[in-house]
Amino acid sequence: MEKEISRLEEEFQKDLSLVKSREDLEKLRIKYLGRKSPINQLFTQITHLENREEKALWGKNVNSLKEKISSIIEEKLKNAEIKEDRLDLTFPSSQVYLGSLHILSIVNNSICSIFERMGFIVIEGGEIEDEKHNFSSLNIHLQHPSRDVFDTFYLDIPEGNEGRLLLRSHTSPSQIRVMEKNKPPLAVISPGRVYRPDKVDASHSFMFHQIEGFAVDKGINFSHLKGVLTYFAKSFFSSEVEVRFRPHFFPFTEPSVEVDVSCIICKSKHLGKGYEHKCSVCRGKGWLEILGAGMIHPQVLKNCGIDSKRYTGFAFGMGVDRIAMLKYGIDDIRLFYQNDIRFLEQFYI
Ligand code: PHE
């Protein structure tokens, strides 16, 4: 009987090691604990023993084997149940990363939507332009330094009858394209990429983003330009900013201005020359330059077939990268283009 018990135990361990599923486990239970199981047969054999003490001894041994087998099967069944049937709704999910718009797209869209609220429509121009639209029609004469090969990326393909092809160096050609094809009244903004062969550093990139804006109609004057740009600056930065128009020169606008807003970081515009502290954004000047603008030069209107005696217009152009840097205190333009998730995810909205 002793041999039989240890043989049964060995056989059980072997069968157990082959169990792969809940079903196998169930079969194992019936084989070893069922009515016709070898263990039950052992119990029957015990009843035939003569000696009472022997009966008690073997009864105990067979019982402990039965208990051992049943507790092993019980335990395995419990585990299988957890694995197969239970769904733990409190278990932490694996992390899902949702993408977001790039910070430059966010800034670009919010600038455009401010102008859209004022009735401007968005028209995107092309990134490949010709000399006529990038320069000549904008009154930029042949000797102007911006036409130099060191300041513009010319494409290595034969020139057409509108001059050499190039990567546009500003979004102003959009003014020309729209005015050539459409009659006033016009109120348009035109966002997009522009290219200049500048040496890349913290504030220069060979590619950056601009938004051009212009309006042409009868009776448009400088006060319209001031009103539109002041509304924009207060909506985009804060209602508290002040706006300053400084005389400047652009070949395609007359008069021309550069537009500054009071520093949104240190708010120290009134400190003037004698300022003591150093603001890292305005460097103590109290003002931040945000764009160039002016009244569209009558010659530019004429170049596009618009009667400059009846119509006047204003135009402005701003750098999206620069404005995003000012608004969020970003000190290196290269951060926009390095695709470093640690930088980008700060602006997830
Ligand atoms: N095109 C100019 C630039 O790139 C900006 C500008 C646009 C200025 C329209 C005046 C009017 O610097």
Side-chain angles (χ1 to χ4, degrees), residues 170 172 175 196 210 212 250 252-253 292-294 315-317:
H170 53 172
S172 300
Q175 286 182 46
R196 292 180 196 176
Q210 283 191 335
E212 192 81 8
F250 295 106
F252 33 91
T253 47
F316 55 85

Side-chain angles (χ1 to χ4, degrees), residues 107-133:
V107 169
N108 186 74
N109 294 351
S110 80
I111 296 174
C112 287
S113 70
I114 293 169
F115 287 101
E116 284 179 288
R117 282 209 297 273
M118 288 188 271
F120 286 74
I121 60 160
V122 179
I123 298 179
E124 287 184 40
E127 289 173 28
I128 295 180
E129 268 300 352
D130 51 47
E131 287 183 277
K132 179 182 169 196
H133 292 86

Side-chain angles (χ1 to χ4, degrees), residues 156-175:
D156 202 9
I157 40 183
E159 63 186 86
N161 47 11
E162 311 212 304
R164 285 173 288 174
L165 291 178
L166 48 86
L167 294 178
R168 64 175 174 188
S169 57
H170 53 172
T171 42
S172 300
S174 289
Q175 286 182 46

Side-chain angles (χ1 to χ4, degrees), residues 138 140 169-173 175 194 196 208 210-214 225 248-253 255-258 289 291-296 314-319:
L138 285 158
I140 302 175
S169 57
H170 53 172
T171 42
S172 300
Q175 286 182 46
V194 300
R196 292 180 196 176
F208 56 101
Q210 283 191 335
I211 296 179
E212 192 81 8
F214 64 98
L225 172 63
H248 195 71
F249 173 78
F250 295 106
F252 33 91
T253 47
S256 303
V257 286
E258 269 184 343
E289 183 207 317
L291 55 87
M295 298 305 292
I296 300 176
F314 64 75
F316 55 85
M318 63 181 96

Side-chain angles (χ1 to χ4, degrees), residues 6 12 15 44 77 85 130 132 138 144 157 180 197 217 252 255 272 299:
S6 57
F12 171 74
D15 283 351
T44 342
L77 272 172
D85 301 339
D130 51 47
K132 179 182 169 196
L138 285 158
H144 195 278
I157 40 183
E180 279 177 344
D217 200 357
F252 33 91
Q299 187 58 49

